[in-house]
Amino acid sequence: SAVISQKPSRDICQRGTSLTIQCQVDSQVTMMFWYRQQPGQSLTLIATANQGSEATYESGFVIDKFPISRPNLTFSTLTVSNMSPEDSSIYLCSVLGGTEAFFGQGTRLTVV
Amino acid sequence: DAKTTQPNSMESNEEEPVHLPCNHSTISGTDYIHWYRQLPSQGPEYVIHGLTSNVNNRMASLAIAEDRKSSTLILHRATLRDAAVYYCTTGYNFNKFYFGSGTKLNVKP
């Protein structure tokens, strides 16, 4: 199993600013995943973060808007840049442990 | 990855069995079927997965159709704590998942 800690758990931000979300895992993992969950919606995969290489983004998501860092095998950050109210969502970090995925509790972001 | 279709919502009485259906008609032969659930204000959690044969674990059972174009998650005795959104997803790689819209399960006392 894997225990994932995300910080912050929630934040309210002004439009035009940026927020960096941290994800810490209690074990070393090769891949980490970032998801977005808009209000009342399902989860949408943003990108896959591998240690030592650039993140791989899904269609509709770009590095300039969602830069990701992966400095080591237990940590990753997702930045939401130049925020607008449409970025108000829950952002979740996920890792794979064996045949199942583990998710953090999420970061609830509100952009005003 | 194959697209999945689930009913938007279902309702069950407490301590009764619940059958949550999922259609995945475009699934390929090597795709596994995974189920996750998301309790209110929490991240998703693993429920069960399978390839061809029916699967049982402490949380639930997974019944997979012979043609693998559909599956059913079975909660044998629903409790109030089982009220959640249940997601069915398919994929070959046990890494990234593409979630469908899910089924919101309401359990009545």
Side-chain angles (χ1 to χ4, degrees):
Chain A
S1 66
V3 177
I4 300 173
S5 301
Q6 276 188 241
K7 291 182 181 179
S9 58
R10 58 178 61 226
D11 206 343
I12 301 174
C13 300
Q14 296 291 322
R15 68 180 67 199
T17 63
S18 298
L19 176 71
T20 295
I21 302 168
Q22 299 179 4
C23 178
Q24 179 75 51
V25 189
D26 68 344
S27 58
Q28 294 184 339
V29 293
T30 303
M31 291 184 287
M32 297 177 76
F33 307 92
W34 287 98
Y35 290 84
R36 180 178 73 182
Q37 187 169 30
Q38 295 175 301
Q41 302 297 311
S42 179
L43 287 83
T44 302
L45 180 65
I46 298 172
T48 303
N50 295 316
Q51 195 268 335
S53 64
E54 282 199 4
T56 304
Y57 290 82
E58 298 294 317
S59 176
F61 297 95
V62 294
I63 188 171
D64 289 346
K65 176 67 175 177
F66 298 101
I68 289 171
S69 78
R70 184 77 201 276
N72 58 53
L73 291 174
T74 64
F75 187 78
S76 178
T77 66
L78 169 76
T79 299
V80 187
S81 303
N82 188 25
M83 288 183 286
S84 67
E86 291 71 35
D87 294 319
S88 297
S89 296
I90 298 173
Y91 292 86
L92 299 110
C93 171
S94 173
V95 302
L96 183 68
T99 57
E100 66 181 87
F102 296 90
F103 291 82
Q105 296 284 60
T107 296
R108 184 180 295 272
L109 170 63
T110 302
V111 183
V112 298
Chain B
D1 290 285
K3 181 182 170 77
T4 61
T5 305
Q6 299 175 254
N8 289 334
S9 64
M10 292 186 66
E11 196 164 76
S12 171
N13 293 318
E14 195 175 13
E15 298 191 2
E16 290 186 355
V18 181
H19 289 67
L20 298 167
C22 180
N23 286 318
H24 29 77
S25 58
T26 60
I27 192 171
S28 73
T30 54
D31 284 348
Y32 280 77
I33 301 156
H34 307 263
W35 284 82
Y36 283 78
R37 72 178 185 181
Q38 187 173 25
L39 302 171
S41 301
Q42 294 190 26
E45 63 176 0
Y46 169 82
V47 177
I48 201 166
H49 77 276
L51 183 61
T52 56
S53 303
N54 294 344
V55 184
N56 301 295
N57 66 20
R58 61 176 179 81
M59 289 182 68
S61 295
L62 176 60
I64 302 172
E66 193 170 338
D67 63 4
R68 298 200 341 113
K69 294 182 184 300
S70 66
S71 62
T72 301
L73 179 70
I74 303 166
L75 306 179
H76 296 286
R77 290 183 64 200
T79 70
L80 297 178
R81 290 175 295 178
D82 291 323
V85 178
Y86 287 78
Y87 294 102
C88 164
T89 180
T90 62
Y92 172 68
N93 293 317
F94 284 89
N95 45 48
K96 53 186 175 182
F97 294 100
Y98 298 96
F99 290 86
S101 57
T103 297
K104 184 174 183 179
L105 175 65
N106 181 39
V107 181
K108 297 185 297 182

